[in-house]
């Protein structure tokens, strides 16, 4: 598959990830179990596709073998976004603070992907 295909798939999955995280944060204190379940499923699917498409992009860029430091850091930030659902579920009173931190983590991941500083 082409570089453009992987890039579009990656970006669409990032959009789905942030949509699902916003929904999970907004519904953390509500009783809408169906909405939270749908958002949790979307969150998992988005993370899986981001991972696969990201490695597809790296392969298209010729990054075989050794993964650069910026990519490891980006994987770490995606892990943070994967695990942020746990405090959203267990500490709904902190949903606002977590909701505010989500775009910061996403911005750092974007910075690493665009500038590839390391």
């Amino acid at each position: 598959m082409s570089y453009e295909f992987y890039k579009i798939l990656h970006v669409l999955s990032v959009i789905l990830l942030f949509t699902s995280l916003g929904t999970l944060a907004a519904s953390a204190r509500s009783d809408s179990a169906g909405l939270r379940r749908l958002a949790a499923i979307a969150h998992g699917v988005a993370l899986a596709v981001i991972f696969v498409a990201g490695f597809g992009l790296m392969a298209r860029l010729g990054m075989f073998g050794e993964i650069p430091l910026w990519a490891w850091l980006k994987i770490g930030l995606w892990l943070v976004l994967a695990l942020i659902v746990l405090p959203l579920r267990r500490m709904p009173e902190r949903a606002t603070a977590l909701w505010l931190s989500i775009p910061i983590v996403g911005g750092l991941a974007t910075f690493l992907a665009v500038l590839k500083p390391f």
Side-chain angles (χ1 to χ4, degrees):
M1 288 180 232
S2 70
Y3 175 83
E4 292 78 13
F5 173 80
Y6 282 118
K7 194 166 193 172
I8 291 168
L9 188 61
H10 194 68
V11 170
L12 286 174
S13 299
V14 169
I15 292 167
L16 179 61
L17 177 72
F18 282 92
T19 301
S20 65
L21 285 171
T23 303
L24 288 168
S27 65
R29 295 182 188 176
S30 72
D31 293 329
S32 56
L35 179 62
R36 284 196 315 272
R37 184 170 189 259
L38 178 63
I41 291 169
H43 178 260
V45 169
L47 285 167
V49 177
I50 286 169
F51 188 74
V52 170
F55 276 97
L57 283 168
M58 287 176 44
R60 292 292 168 237
L61 290 172
M63 295 180 192
F64 300 107
E66 199 169 313
I67 297 174
L69 178 59
W70 66 266
W72 281 114
L73 293 172
K74 191 171 173 201
I75 291 168
L77 291 171
W78 290 123
L79 183 61
V80 169
L81 291 173
L83 297 176
I84 205 162
V85 297
L86 298 175
L88 277 173
R89 188 178 327 138
R90 294 183 180 147
M91 296 178 282
E93 66 279 359
R94 297 202 177 152
T96 302
L98 292 168
W99 178 77
L100 291 170
S101 68
I102 290 167
I104 294 169
V105 176
L108 289 171
T110 303
F111 167 80
L112 291 170
V114 171
L115 296 181
K116 298 174 182 54
F118 315 108

